[in-house]
């Protein structure tokens, strides 16, 4: 039986064109961009070109792009880097209970370093409320970090509204846009964000690379020390082939943004229609109209997440119970717990399906049919 | 094209590239995903880790895949400092470390740690006796490079390891980015608790590396998140990169065994030819690692020579690529006690197993012509 991948929010297959774009870099432009000879300068030119594309994709200046080893590093750099560098301005940080662990655990670490952190709640819609942010904001708040799109529910957060609230406040505004990039418009000026995280492997690019946008005025302390790469904010020999692959992925994502939106919207609708046709009982977690089209989180009453995932997997449907990043464990989702309360049934019977480049109408329909068959079997008593 | 800057970075091996591409195509899933796609990715990650562990003769659980040498060094140094600061806040290192170690130590000074920067002798080597003398009751870490990246001097790692063994409460970290594949270094029972490796210096991929962490060693993580790599290094695993790293390591270890003599022979040739050139002074010690030779042409700006050689498609470097944008004096050459005419005119040739005798002959010829040409112009 053909296995069907519906877990693009965990990671995506690399686009063959990305791999193709990387090949000449490995073979011909392998120099160290910091070397002064022409080999190094050529590598530097490619790196700069990649940086310009990153900057252009979010309306930033190329000097404001810091290449990192991925989303986790960018989130860590944004939070720890600004918290440590701006202690003189205050001790208070605001984030939300439903952030990705790369933000959440970093905020918890900052608490151990003496920072006061407010974790904003989310309601059943899966969204944070701007009013809650306004209430939490204090004069000594130095940083606000809110993800753009939740990775488990796909719910889009009110980033531009929060950006507007913070416009006249000293606090820096960081958004983890890992799940938003390629599907939503991202203009850092319009959004009013000072920092923004993007990861390559979530948009069909290579693993091991991402970037942090940090506006020119952001005072940031480096997490690592060494050479003076990335304007002293992130040392280490630059991953030029990775950056060029990432560049291609960004270009493709931008070019195909509208087509992909439509395509994934169609897949999601197809998937849900198919389940409804099969008379499966399910609820959509999070405000359905407020999500990105690539993610749908479904609760199947009367089932259990581990049994579901095991059976899906045996039948060749690859989905997940939420973030893959909790290293292989099936813990109750912290996002759904935040939305519905930790004792609510949906925290232990929900599955995230995420659509992407691997999918076709045929395999989405087939997957829905397999899911329906399993859910029926598990709920028939 | 004659590429003699292999200590800055190396050309990836075609076999490594093939592995990388195959994994990127066929095993794209997140190893933490619990479905079969993820399961297969995880198995492959295990296999890569096992292969690396076998190559280094350590246990798979002691291998942490990183984004490269800088991260490995930062993770080791800051990780030990933050985790064990209650026991003491003193760290020993040397004056000639790579910036990834040196600046990591300096950053810890700002946090109240006390750092001893040991001097080197004229051969660019730290003395084990000085390391021993510097140890205090509150010393928690010794961090030293195995092979210096600018002049190729080899540090007495085995002796320092034996000293470290006598102080079970302190940790010993080695930056082996330049030594890997060129100068064998045993990890097991060596007194070494942590060791940093980089992929792109051994014909692997940029953005890949390994930190060896002895299984009894606890570290405070540099990055927080999904707790991958035994919670030491959060972030979705770069599986294709890890497999490429394992492959590059296996290949370079093979070459280290098979071609050590040939590499040493090429360096011996360079040393004897450079010694014959008027106005050239060799800075690398006689017992340097076999792939690096550093020399000065006092009175000639190193950039001029780089440029003249570059026109003939021959690539060498001044000092380390990571600090090439700073002022012109080499910190390493200055630490060796060379006067400024020499420490500001250092040039580095760094070899790989891919270089040939014929390439070196062309290089020597070109260098000799360049120096002559320059002297004529300046007369």
């Amino acid at each position: 039986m053909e296995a069907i991948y519906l877990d693009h929010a965990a990671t995506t297959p690399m686009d063959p064109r990305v791999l193709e774009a990387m090949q000449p870099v490995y073979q011909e432009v392998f120099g160290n961009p910091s070397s002064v000879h022409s080999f190094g300068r050529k590598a530097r030119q490619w790196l700069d070109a990649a940086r310009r594309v990153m900057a252009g994709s979010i309306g930033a200046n190329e000097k404001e792009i810091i290449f990192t080893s991925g989303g986790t590093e960018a989130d860590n750099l944004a939070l720890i880097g600004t918290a440590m560098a701006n202690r003189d301005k205050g001790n208070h940080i605001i984030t939300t209970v439903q952030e990705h662990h790369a933000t959440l655990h970093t905020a918890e670490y900052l608490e151990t370093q003496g920072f006061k952190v407010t974790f904003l709640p989310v309601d059943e819609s899966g969204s944070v409320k701007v009013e809650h942010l306004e209430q939490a904001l204090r004069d000594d708040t130095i940083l606000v970090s809110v993800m753009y799109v939740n990775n488990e529910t796909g719910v889009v957060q009110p980033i531009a509204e929060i950006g507007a609230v913070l416009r006249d406040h000293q606090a820096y505004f960081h958004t983890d846009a890992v799940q938003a990039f390629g599907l939503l418009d991202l203009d850092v000026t319009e959004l009013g964000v000072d920092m923004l995280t993007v990861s390559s492997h979530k948009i069909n690019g290579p693993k091991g690379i991402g970037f942090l946008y940090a506006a020119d005025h952001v005072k940031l302390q480096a997490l690592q020390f060494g050479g003076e790469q990335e304007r002293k904010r992130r040392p280490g020999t630059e991953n030029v082939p990775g950056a060029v692959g990432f560049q291609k992925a960004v270009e493709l994502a931008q070019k195909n943004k509208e087509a992909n939106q439509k395509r994934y919207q169609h897949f999601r609708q197809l998937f849900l229609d198919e389940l409804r046709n099969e008379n499966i009982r399910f609820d959509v977690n999070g405000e359905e109209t407020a999500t990105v089209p690539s993610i749908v989180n479904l609760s199947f009453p009367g089932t259990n997440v581990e049994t579901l995932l095991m059976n899906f997997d045996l039948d060749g449907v690859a989905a997940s119970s939420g973030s893959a990043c909790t290293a292989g464990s099936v813990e109750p989702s912290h996002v759904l717990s935040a939305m519905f309360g930790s004792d609510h049934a949906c925290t232990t019977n929900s599955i995230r399906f995420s659509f992407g480049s691997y999918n076709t109408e045929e395999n989405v329909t087939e997957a829905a049919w397999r899911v329906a068959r399993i859910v029926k079997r598990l709920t028939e008593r | 094209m004659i590429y003699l800057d292999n200590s800055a970075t190396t050309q990836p091996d075609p076999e490594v590239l093939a592995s990388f591409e195959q994994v990127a195509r066929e095993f794209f899933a997140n190893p933490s995903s619990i479905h079969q796609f993820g399961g297969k990715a995880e198995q492959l990650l295990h296999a890569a880790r096992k292969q690396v562990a076998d190559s280094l003769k350590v246990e798979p659980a002691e291998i942490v895949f990183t984004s490269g040498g800088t991260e490995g060094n930062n993770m080791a140094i800051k990780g030990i400092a933050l985790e064990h600061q209650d026991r003491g806040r003193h760290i020993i290192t040397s004056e000639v470390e790579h910036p990834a170690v040196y600046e990591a130590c300096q950053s810890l000074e700002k946090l109240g740690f006390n750092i001893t920067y040991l001097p080197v002798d004229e051969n660019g080597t730290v003395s084990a006796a000085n390391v021993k003398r510097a140890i205090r009751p509150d010393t928690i870490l010794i961090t030293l490079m195995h092979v210096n990246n600018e002049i190729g001097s080899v540090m007495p790692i085995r002796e320092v390891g034996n000293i470290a063994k006598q102080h079970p409460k302190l940790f010993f970290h080695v930056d082996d980015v330049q030594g890997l594949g060129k100068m064998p270094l045993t990890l097991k029972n060596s007194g070494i608790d942590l060791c940093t490796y980089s992929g792109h210096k051994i014909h692997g991929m940029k953005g890949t590396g390994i930190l060896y962490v002895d299984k009894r060693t606890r570290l405070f993580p540099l990055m927080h998140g999904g707790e991958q790599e035994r919670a030491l290094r959060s972030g979705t695993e770069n599986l294709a990169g890890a497999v490429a790293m394992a492959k590059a390591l296996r290949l370079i270890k093979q070459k280290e065994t098979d071609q050590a003599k040939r590499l040493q022979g090429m360096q011996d040739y360079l040393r004897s030819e450079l010694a014959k050139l008027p106005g050239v002074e060799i800075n690398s010690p006689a017992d340097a690692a076999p792939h690096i030779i550093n020399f000065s042409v006092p009175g000639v700006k190193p950039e001029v020579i780089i440029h003249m050689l570059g026109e003939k498609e021959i690539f060498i470097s001044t000092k380390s690529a990571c600090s090439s944008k700073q002022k012109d004096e080499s910190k390493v050459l200055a630490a060796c006690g060379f006067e400024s005419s020499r420490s500001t005119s250092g040039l580095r040739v760094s070899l790989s197993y891919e270089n040939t005798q014929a390439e070196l002959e062309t290089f020597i010829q070109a260098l000799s012509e360049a120096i002559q040409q320059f002297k004529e112009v300046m007369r």
Side-chain angles (χ1 to χ4, degrees):
Chain A
M1 192 186 308
E2 185 219 1
I4 302 170
Y5 192 73
L6 290 176
D7 200 12
H8 292 79
T11 191
T12 59
M14 216 198 283
D15 191 296
R17 290 165 287 186
V18 167
L19 210 44
E20 216 168 89
M22 291 167 77
Q23 275 161 354
V25 192
Y26 292 128
Q27 279 147 10
E28 296 151 33
V29 201
F30 64 83
N32 186 323
S34 299
S35 294
V36 292
H37 49 62
S38 66
F39 249 79
R41 289 201 308 273
K42 199 164 164 198
R44 163 77 48 205
Q45 284 162 9
W46 283 62
L47 185 68
D48 288 345
R51 196 187 305 281
R52 278 195 292 277
V53 169
M54 304 297 144
S57 72
I58 55 168
N61 184 292
E62 59 191 89
K63 284 187 182 151
E64 299 170 317
I65 303 296
I66 307 168
F67 281 115
T68 66
S69 66
T72 294
E73 187 184 332
D75 285 343
N76 274 259
L77 178 58
L79 268 71
I80 301 174
T82 48
M84 295 304 184
N86 296 279
R87 262 201 142 139
D88 54 325
K89 293 186 203 138
N91 204 40
H92 182 234
I93 294 166
I94 300 173
T95 184
T96 82
V97 289
Q98 63 161 350
E99 295 301 302
H100 186 276
H101 286 139
T103 298
L104 209 52
H105 288 174
T106 305
E108 286 161 4
Y109 160 71
L110 289 171
E111 277 185 315
T112 70
Q113 298 302 298
F115 289 92
K116 183 89 190 80
V117 183
T118 303
F119 296 91
L120 299 177
V122 289
D123 59 20
E124 293 196 358
S125 74
S127 178
V128 292
K129 292 275 161 292
V130 180
E131 305 91 84
H132 288 153
L133 171 89
E134 286 171 324
Q135 285 155 17
L137 203 59
R138 313 190 320 207
D139 286 346
D140 67 339
T141 306
I142 52 173
L143 173 67
V144 176
S145 179
V146 179
M147 65 195 337
Y148 200 162
V149 170
N150 182 272
N151 52 311
E152 294 193 20
T153 60
V155 173
V156 182
Q157 308 299 314
I159 297 305
E161 291 86 333
I162 295 172
V165 170
L166 294 175
R167 192 143 291 153
D168 297 318
H169 191 283
Q170 68 158 4
Y172 293 132
F173 183 25
H174 167 248
T175 187
D176 174 344
V178 166
Q179 297 290 349
F181 195 92
L183 290 171
L184 300 180
D185 285 325
L186 288 179
D187 184 298
V188 292
T189 315
E190 281 173 21
L191 292 175
V193 297
D194 304 296
M195 288 176 287
L196 181 142
T197 296
V198 176
S199 165
S200 158
H201 77 93
K202 308 281 191 193
I203 59 162
N204 306 102
K207 291 181 175 61
I209 190 156
F211 75 75
L212 176 68
Y213 154 77
D216 214 20
H217 64 268
V218 173
K219 210 171 130 202
L220 192 69
Q221 182 184 306
L223 274 191
Q224 303 175 53
F225 298 86
E228 303 200 335
Q229 293 92 345
E230 303 295 308
R231 300 174 73 227
K232 301 191 191 178
R233 294 168 304 185
R234 204 278 185 179
T237 300
E238 299 91 334
N239 181 356
V240 185
V244 172
F246 189 12
Q247 173 190 349
K248 188 72 185 177
V250 166
E251 286 166 348
L252 291 169
Q254 284 194 285
K255 194 175 120 203
N256 302 321
K257 188 166 80 189
E258 278 161 33
N260 284 342
Q261 278 169 350
K262 277 195 197 128
R263 202 170 135 81
Y264 304 156
Q265 182 66 44
H266 176 59
F267 288 160
R268 184 168 71 173
Q269 202 51 52
L270 197 62
F271 189 74
L272 294 177
D273 288 349
E274 218 39 54
L275 292 183
R276 287 187 182 114
N277 289 343
E278 295 285 330
N279 287 318
I280 298 302
R281 245 187 90 202
F282 67 88
D283 297 307
V284 178
N285 294 322
E287 186 64 51
E288 204 180 330
T289 53
T291 63
V292 285
S294 56
I295 297 178
V296 65
N297 193 311
L298 303 181
S299 156
F300 297 100
T303 66
N304 162 277
V305 62
E306 288 187 40
T307 318
L308 283 173
L309 285 176
M310 201 180 70
N311 280 283
F312 288 168
D313 195 31
L314 286 173
D315 268 11
V317 175
S320 77
S321 62
S323 163
C325 294
T326 317
S329 66
V330 187
E331 306 264 314
S333 152
H334 73 284
V335 176
L336 298 177
S337 299
M339 287 162 64
F340 300 102
S342 55
D343 48 0
H344 194 285
C346 81
T347 61
T348 54
N349 65 19
S350 294
I351 302 288
R352 174 187 71 182
F353 300 95
S354 46
F355 307 99
S357 59
Y358 194 94
N359 298 130
T360 59
E361 266 188 12
E362 291 70 34
N363 70 22
V364 169
T365 313
E366 169 70 22
W369 188 76
R370 290 182 199 173
V371 166
R373 192 176 53 188
I374 291 163
V375 174
K376 269 187 200 165
R377 197 171 68 218
L378 294 176
T379 50
E380 263 169 20
R381 285 286 140 86
Chain B
M1 190 263 288
I2 300 177
Y3 187 75
L4 299 172
D5 194 12
N6 291 283
S7 287
T9 192
T10 58
Q11 185 163 19
D13 188 296
E15 278 191 57
V16 172
L17 284 180
S19 299
F20 177 85
E21 291 187 5
Q22 193 198 348
V23 176
R25 272 186 224 284
E26 294 168 26
F27 301 89
F28 67 85
N30 191 323
S32 299
S33 294
I34 57 177
H35 46 64
Q36 52 181 292
F37 287 84
K40 281 180 192 151
E42 194 187 16
Q43 277 173 15
L44 192 55
L45 186 65
H46 277 310
R49 198 185 305 281
K50 170 89 169 51
Q51 196 184 15
V52 166
D54 289 348
S55 289
L56 299 174
K57 300 190 173 61
V58 297
E59 293 173 26
E62 298 178 313
I63 301 300
V64 178
F65 287 110
T66 66
S67 69
T70 294
E71 185 185 327
N73 284 333
N74 274 267
M75 189 189 290
I77 294 166
K78 294 166 82 175
I80 288 291
L82 296 180
E83 183 72 25
H84 302 282
Q85 54 186 322
D86 294 342
R87 190 190 296 162
R89 312 192 101 201
H90 179 238
I91 293 171
I92 299 169
T93 185
S94 87
E95 281 182 357
V96 297
E97 297 300 311
H98 185 276
V101 167
Y102 196 84
E103 308 238 344
C105 288
Q106 287 196 317
S107 82
L108 288 170
E109 277 186 282
K110 285 193 206 152
L111 296 178
F113 287 84
N114 204 300
I115 318 283
T116 299
Y117 299 94
L118 294 174
V120 291
D121 59 19
E122 68 279 12
N123 290 322
T125 307
V126 168
S127 100
N130 277 346
V131 173
K132 192 171 184 175
R133 266 194 293 275
I135 295 173
R136 315 189 316 208
D138 62 338
T139 305
I140 52 172
L141 174 68
I142 301 170
T143 173
L144 288 177
M145 62 194 346
H146 179 205
V147 171
N148 181 269
N149 52 316
E150 287 192 33
I151 61 170
S153 55
V154 181
M155 304 299 166
I157 298 300
R158 241 191 28 212
E159 291 87 320
V160 176
N162 286 330
I163 294 167
K165 275 190 202 169
Q166 291 158 19
H167 296 82
K169 284 191 164 177
L170 64 73
F171 296 93
F172 180 28
H173 166 245
V174 176
D175 171 0
D176 196 20
V177 167
Q178 290 293 342
L180 181 62
K182 311 289 176 12
M183 295 287 292
L185 181 70
T186 305
L187 293 174
K188 261 298 148 247
N189 301 319
S190 61
I192 299 170
D193 302 294
L194 301 130
C195 191
T196 301
Y197 302 105
S198 161
H200 78 97
K201 309 277 192 199
I202 57 162
H203 306 281
M205 314 287 285
K206 292 186 177 57
T208 65
I210 293 164
L211 180 66
Y212 159 75
V213 184
D214 177 282
K215 57 180 184 287
R216 289 155 300 190
T217 302
R218 279 182 304 116
L219 283 183
F220 193 87
L222 210 55
M223 290 190 269
H224 309 269
E227 312 209 323
Q228 289 90 344
E229 300 289 304
R230 292 189 294 133
L232 287 175
R233 206 273 181 181
S234 290
T236 299
E237 298 92 336
N238 180 359
L239 178 61
V243 171
M245 180 75 213
K247 182 93 169 195
L249 183 62
R250 189 168 64 73
L251 293 173
I252 201 80
K253 282 283 176 190
Q254 192 61 47
K255 286 178 180 152
E256 184 180 53
T257 315
D258 300 347
Q259 299 192 44
K261 271 205 180 120
R262 197 177 71 82
L263 188 63
Q264 186 63 56
M266 290 198 286
Q267 191 195 39
D268 291 345
Y269 168 79
L270 283 178
R271 185 178 283 276
S272 71
E273 291 302 312
L274 287 170
K276 289 181 206 160
L277 293 181
V280 170
E281 296 182 62
I282 295 173
N283 301 321
S284 291
D287 58 355
H291 60 302
I292 296 178
I293 188 153
N294 190 301
F295 59 96
S296 293
V297 191
V300 185
K301 270 196 180 239
E303 288 75 18
V304 174
I305 290 180
I306 298 251
H307 182 72
M308 289 165 98
L309 292 175
E311 285 183 343
K312 296 185 176 162
E313 300 233 303
I314 299 172
F315 303 99
I316 67 167
S317 71
T318 53
K319 39 190 182 155
S320 134
C322 295
S323 51
S324 283
K325 286 179 159 184
Q326 293 166 9
K327 56 181 178 358
D328 14 311
E329 183 172 66
S330 155
K331 201 161 67 95
V332 177
L333 293 179
C336 293
F338 295 123
E339 60 190 45
S340 91
S341 66
R342 198 157 152 187
S343 65
T344 55
S345 61
L347 290 160
R348 178 184 70 182
V349 169
S350 48
L351 304 171
S352 83
Y353 295 107
E354 310 311 309
N355 290 125
T356 62
Q357 175 70 17
E359 287 180 329
L360 301 188
E361 286 167 15
T362 311
F363 158 70
I364 289 290
Q365 182 64 33
L367 176 68
S368 160
E369 285 166 17
I371 295 171
Q372 221 159 26
Q373 211 179 328
F374 182 80
K375 297 229 154 120
E376 274 162 23
V377 175
M378 297 302 285
R379 196 176 298 175

